[in-house]
Amino acid sequence: MVAAVIHASDSYPITNFYVSAAWLALMALLSFLMVSTWRYWSFKDLNLLRPRSPVLLVVMCGTIYAIWNWSHVVLVTIASTYVASGIAIRGGGLIRRYFGRKAPPAPETRIA
């Protein structure tokens, strides 16, 4: 993420106070995510040797073409999406845990 942002800004130094404050907040967030135990997709199950569908091939070629032509925007978008995916997975797990709780069953009453 840091390298993508630096590439997108053409490696110019930050001179605006508000941009530098946003950069500091981004660095704090990324530092927290690096040491946290939040789950991210590890790409271990991605096998490039097995056959692919034509749609996936078009998407992969389109992504490579977009990186080649508009790398400043596309690399920041890909990095931001990856960072947001970990946050979304964590948020989804918390929501599922919160709303997944069911009320305890009512005690049975026996009529003798």
Side-chain angles (χ1 to χ4, degrees):
M1 179 73 183
V2 174
V5 171
I6 291 173
H7 176 68
S9 67
D10 286 329
S11 301
Y12 290 118
I14 299 172
T15 57
N16 187 346
F17 173 76
Y18 297 109
V19 176
S20 64
W23 181 254
L24 181 64
L26 174 69
M27 295 307 303
L29 173 69
L30 293 177
S31 300
F32 169 74
L33 291 174
M34 285 179 67
V35 298
S36 70
T37 58
W38 292 12
R39 301 288 179 175
Y40 281 88
W41 187 42
S42 65
F43 298 99
K44 289 180 182 176
D45 57 345
L46 183 65
N47 184 4
L48 297 176
L49 299 178
R50 69 171 191 199
R52 303 273 176 213
S53 70
V55 174
L56 188 58
L57 182 63
V58 169
V59 169
M60 289 172 64
C61 291
T63 303
I64 292 170
Y65 178 77
I67 291 172
W68 184 271
N69 286 314
W70 307 289
S71 64
H72 291 95
V73 176
V74 174
L75 290 175
V76 169
T77 304
I78 290 172
S80 300
T81 303
Y82 185 70
V83 168
S85 72
I87 296 170
I89 290 171
R90 178 69 172 197
L94 291 173
I95 291 171
R96 185 174 355 135
R97 202 173 317 151
Y98 179 74
F99 288 115
R101 294 182 185 161
K102 296 180 180 169
E108 293 182 21
T109 56
R110 292 187 173 189
I111 301 175

